Amino acid sequence: MKIKNILPLILFLLSFSFYAQNGKVDEKREKIKAFKVSFLTTELELTSTEAEKFWPIYNAYDDKQFELRHSKMKVYMRKLDDDNLNSLSEKDAVTLLSQMECTDKQLYVLREKYMTDLKKILSAKKILKLKKSEDDFSRKLLQQYRDKAGKD
């Protein structure tokens, strides 16, 4: 059996060890992450050398991006709730807007570094394939969510 067929299965099985983490959110995130790893591994057809270098970079990027988007943006979104938004002073609104712009810049810099690191290990064609595969995975995940919501 080829490594591209075995690797997704191994990664998926190893991901179950993460389920012991606290909270349903962590469990769902890890489950989705395992499916994503399996999906991307299959789609990208990485060589073992590429995979060895790719996954640490990808996981570090994905974790940092998640942290920025969910921890900071969650705070911003709470402040943008209709009740809170109406009671914000102009000074507080300027501060919040500045914080949001700062987070956007951090995400941009993170993405730029990620692309630079990827170019050292993957061809441009594989990087484009990665982007397409991530988009395909997101659509697939959204469709599964919609299908599940429609059955409930």
Side-chain angles (χ1 to χ4, degrees):
M1 197 177 245
K2 293 184 179 179
I3 191 158
K4 76 176 187 178
N5 295 334
I6 296 172
L7 190 58
L9 180 62
I10 291 171
L11 292 171
F12 179 72
L13 293 174
L14 287 175
S15 69
F16 282 107
S17 66
F18 294 112
Y19 287 175
Q21 293 181 8
N22 58 4
K24 270 193 161 188
V25 173
D26 286 342
E27 184 178 317
K28 285 181 181 180
R29 175 165 155 67
E30 289 302 326
K31 187 175 180 181
I32 291 169
K33 196 172 187 178
F35 286 129
K36 187 175 188 180
V37 166
S38 177
F39 184 84
L40 292 178
T41 298
T42 303
E43 293 294 310
L44 292 178
E45 300 174 348
L46 298 172
T47 66
S48 57
T49 305
E50 288 172 333
E52 186 179 306
K53 294 176 182 176
F54 170 76
W55 287 112
I57 292 169
Y58 184 85
N59 290 332
Y61 166 75
D62 193 48
D63 290 345
K64 184 65 178 172
Q65 177 188 242
F66 179 82
E67 177 189 322
L68 284 171
R69 287 184 189 267
H70 288 84
S71 64
K72 290 186 178 186
M73 290 300 201
K74 189 181 262 187
V75 171
Y76 304 152
M77 294 313 287
R78 266 191 246 123
K79 290 181 180 180
L80 292 177
D81 180 277
D82 287 337
D83 295 333
N84 293 333
L85 186 58
N86 292 330
S87 65
L88 271 182
S89 69
E90 186 61 25
K91 182 181 177 185
D92 290 340
V94 168
T95 301
L96 181 59
L97 189 58
S98 176
Q99 290 171 342
M100 292 171 74
E101 289 170 346
C102 182
T103 300
D104 284 342
K105 285 177 188 171
Q106 289 175 317
L107 284 166
Y108 176 78
V109 168
L110 178 66
R111 180 85 179 160
E112 210 172 42
K113 181 184 180 322
Y114 170 65
M115 281 295 150
T116 300
D117 291 345
L118 282 182
K119 288 176 185 175
K120 293 175 186 174
I121 58 169
L122 297 178
S123 67
K125 190 173 179 178
K126 279 200 177 178
I127 293 171
L128 291 173
K129 197 172 186 178
L130 169 63
K131 176 65 178 140
K132 181 186 180 311
S133 296
E134 287 177 316
D135 292 345
D136 290 347
F137 178 81
S138 295
R139 276 191 292 279
K140 185 176 180 176
L141 192 63
L142 184 58
Q143 187 60 48
Q144 286 179 350
Y145 176 76
R146 286 179 181 157
D147 291 346
K148 185 178 178 183
K151 291 179 184 176
D152 292 339

